[in-house]
Amino acid sequence: MPEPAPDAVVVGSGPNGLAAAIELARAGRSVSVLEGESTLGGGCRSAELTLPGFIHDTCSTVQSLALASPFLRRLPLAEHGLELVHPEVPLAHPLDDGSAVILQRSVERTASSLGADGGAYRRLFGPLVGDADALLEELLGPLRVPRHPLVLSRFGPAAVRSAVGLGRSRFEGERARALLAGCCAHSMLSLRTPASAAFGLVLALSAHHVGWPVARGGAQRLADALASYLRSLGGQIETERRVESLAELPSGAVKLLDVTPRQLLRLAGPALPPVYRRRLGRFRYGPGVFKVDWALDGPIPWKAAEAGRAGTVHIGGRLEEIAVAEEQVTNGEHPERPFVLLVQASRFDSTRAPEGRETAWAYCHVPSSSRKDMTEAIEAQVERFAPGFRDRIVARSTMDTAEVERRNPNYVGGDINGGVQDLRQLFTRPVARAVPYATPVPGLFICSSSTPPGGGVHGMCGFHAARAALRSAPLTS
Ligand SMILES: Cc1cc2nc3c(=O)[nH]c(=O)nc-3n(C[C@H](O)[C@H](O)[C@H](O)COP(=O)(O)OP(=O)(O)OC[C@H]3O[C@@H](n4cnc5c(N)ncnc54)[C@H](O)[C@@H]3O)c2cc1C
């Protein structure tokens, strides 16, 4: 007897695909996840990219959004093998004078290291951290009538500013400005764009609220814990099952696709009404990343010793320098001195490297689909704040935007956020619709980071897509 079709099929096992499948299974629906690659997890995968015994995360490492996520944080992932490890401090931002600005868990301690800007820092982040849970619930979802309007009204005025505007208006000194700019540069927007401050505020807030932990053993452990929990609920997962067309999927099953608009167009093509197809075709992808993974024969020799206490290090110097680098990327150029995001997870998770050795990764932003090798530019930036760094490199693995996309087709042109996250496209992703997760085709949903609230390992796109699917026929019947 052929097996009956599941109630729902999820295509793609990234954090959003797995979150969607879990929410459906928790609601009592049978669900099957189909993953094109041989390992599951999408942006939560680990592999020995350089040498045996060196575990590298191919994409995400810092799991602050997972820990802050209103959905993921309530799942029993520790029972399924997930252990989060906190670096001594979340973030360091070295400067050319040999010092480093340190973002600590405590707003107070961070503020008191910022000299004259301490008060302004306290006034900016103190109230936000007090409201963090309510604020994250508002921000990590689709646009809707706010449940906590007062909390949003405290966040909004600062969040809609550009990073440069907010930094210059709130802070006088270069230390606080640089710290803010580094967090905002995760947005992959020009730091002069309205609302480029929002990303940085949320990331810094998450560092104060829950920390910036890493999964012991690698990001893969987070994906494995989600998968294990899903299986315990009866869900099924098949790897090496790339779906090329919706016609391959059981006709009676509701379909949730952990893919971006370009792939949705390919998979669903003629089934989608022409107007919706045209709107998907206008979806904007952002710049890409160039990433380097290193196997090192010891810790990175930071000039500022405090930088060694941080899990993440933002390299790019002063706000002005970071702003210029990011502006160049949005203009299609390759900065000579790029803004570099570096993570040194093995400092705090010794399972990632053989004894006495270390791993680290770094990436910088590059124009969409760039093929330029940025290894030299990235390593020169690290060397600037950690002289002798190159001598520690035992092996390296690099990925340009094409390789990033080859490993995961969701990273179109190297864009790791599933599309530009500016004001115009933050809540209207993939298109402006009352329920952005639904498509005009009954029973067909999109659940990737190309839906609100966008990029990052929080699973909230998947969660909201599953809720939308559960409200629709045939899952209501
Ligand atoms: C270098 C890098 C560093 C990052 N660092 C962080 C970080 O530290 N913290 C953080 O929160 N986020 C980080 N991110 C972003 C984060 O990884 C993504 O935002 C997140 O993984 C998006 O989840 P998703 O489920 O929407 O898609 P993905 O995780 O991209 O998963 C999509 C999955 O669908 C599969 N798939 C696609 N098409 C098909 C098909 N046709 N058939 C079958 N399967 C298919 C893919 O193989 C993939 O497994 C990083 C990303 C990168 C690339």
Side-chain angles (χ1 to χ4, degrees):
M1 286 275 285
E3 284 207 9
D7 296 325
V9 173
V10 177
V11 175
S13 70
N16 283 315
L18 292 172
I22 287 170
E23 183 57 14
L24 292 165
R26 275 158 54 109
R29 305 300 190 272
S30 59
V31 55
S32 180
V33 178
L34 307 178
E35 167 56 53
E37 297 295 317
S38 57
T39 52
L40 56 85
C44 281
R45 279 184 250 224
S46 309
E48 292 179 327
L49 295 176
T50 54
L51 295 169
F54 290 83
I55 312 292
H56 303 276
D57 292 334
T58 51
C59 306
S60 73
T61 296
V62 180
Q63 304 304 351
S64 53
L65 293 175
L67 193 53
S69 160
F71 178 61
L72 295 188
R73 72 165 185 238
R74 297 207 167 91
L75 305 183
L77 299 181
E79 289 166 31
H80 292 268
L82 179 66
E83 188 189 342
L84 292 177
V85 188
H86 284 269
E88 197 183 331
V89 295
L91 169 68
H93 189 123
L95 295 169
D96 283 314
D97 64 4
S99 73
V101 194
I102 302 293
L103 193 157
Q104 314 214 27
R105 288 291 300 276
S106 149
V107 173
E108 190 47 50
R109 280 210 299 279
T110 308
S112 58
S113 72
L114 294 173
D117 284 324
Y121 191 89
R122 233 175 260 120
R123 283 192 294 282
L124 182 58
F125 283 104
L128 297 183
V129 173
D131 293 334
D133 281 331
L135 187 58
L136 290 168
E137 200 187 308
E138 292 290 357
L139 297 176
L140 295 179
L143 204 54
R144 58 193 163 184
V145 180
R147 291 184 193 146
H148 311 281
L150 251 178
V151 172
L152 267 188
S153 71
R154 282 197 279 271
F155 175 72
V160 297
R161 306 280 313 262
S162 74
V164 170
L166 185 69
R168 285 191 178 149
S169 66
R170 293 292 180 105
F171 302 126
E172 285 169 13
E174 72 177 38
R175 297 172 69 77
R177 287 181 177 181
L179 187 65
L180 182 72
C183 292
C184 296
H186 283 250
S187 65
M188 299 177 82
L189 299 172
S190 153
L191 299 193
R192 296 177 198 285
T193 306
S196 52
F199 231 85
L201 291 175
V202 170
L203 285 183
L205 168 67
S206 73
H208 291 306
H209 182 48
V210 296
W212 283 8
V214 306
R216 188 183 295 285
Q220 185 73 54
R221 298 293 176 86
L222 172 53
D224 290 349
L226 288 167
S228 164
Y229 178 48
L230 174 62
R231 289 190 181 106
S232 76
L233 297 170
Q236 312 229 330
I237 305 175
E238 216 181 303
T239 51
E240 297 189 73
R241 178 75 156 76
R242 182 153 310 282
V243 176
E244 306 289 354
S245 153
L246 285 192
E248 296 166 31
L249 305 178
S251 56
V254 164
K255 298 159 190 76
L256 292 93
L257 310 186
D258 187 4
V259 304
T260 77
R262 197 174 292 178
Q263 298 143 281
L264 175 59
L265 280 167
R266 263 203 309 269
L267 285 170
L272 301 170
V275 174
Y276 187 71
R277 279 211 308 262
R278 273 200 300 279
R279 293 174 75 196
L280 284 182
R282 288 198 292 267
F283 186 79
R284 290 172 298 127
Y285 290 91
V289 299
F290 184 97
K291 178 169 184 266
V292 191
D293 284 273
W294 297 285
L296 304 170
D297 69 3
I300 299 175
W302 298 108
K303 229 190 273 179
E306 311 97 279
R309 297 164 55 206
T312 302
V313 184
H314 286 163
I315 300 175
R318 304 169 62 227
L319 172 144
E320 286 70 20
E321 186 183 331
I322 299 172
V324 166
E326 295 303 287
E327 189 83 25
Q328 284 178 310
V329 173
T330 44
N331 291 339
E333 295 160 29
H334 296 84
E336 212 174 292
R337 300 224 282 189
F339 171 66
V340 172
L341 296 96
L342 182 145
V343 179
Q344 42 187 7
S346 67
R347 296 297 296 137
F348 311 94
D349 171 14
S350 58
T351 65
R352 291 174 181 240
E355 209 182 332
R357 306 292 178 101
E358 302 285 346
T359 60
W361 66 242
Y363 68 74
C364 70
H365 301 145
V366 289
S368 177
S369 304
S370 152
R371 299 305 310 264
K372 189 171 164 74
D373 185 340
M374 296 295 283
T375 311
E376 175 53 35
I378 289 176
E379 291 183 356
Q381 283 287 66
V382 183
E383 189 79 25
R384 172 175 159 200
F385 298 101
F389 164 71
R390 285 201 183 91
D391 301 336
R392 295 269 156 96
I393 300 171
V394 181
R396 73 164 70 71
S397 149
T398 62
M399 296 180 207
D400 65 8
T401 61
E403 180 59 14
V404 168
E405 185 172 348
R406 192 192 66 71
R407 287 171 177 272
N408 184 341
N410 281 33
Y411 300 145
V412 174
D415 177 357
I416 66 175
N417 284 328
V420 173
Q421 306 203 120
D422 58 7
L423 267 183
R424 272 202 296 142
Q425 204 170 250
L426 193 55
F427 294 107
T428 58
R429 47 206 293 125
V431 301
R433 271 174 82 81
V435 182
Y437 312 96
T439 72
V441 178
L444 179 64
F445 296 83
I446 172 166
C447 67
S448 73
S449 62
S450 300
T451 62
V457 177
H458 42 62
M460 293 306 290
C461 311
F463 167 76
H464 287 294
R467 296 307 309 166
L470 285 165
R471 285 194 299 271
S472 74
L475 291 184
T476 40
S477 47

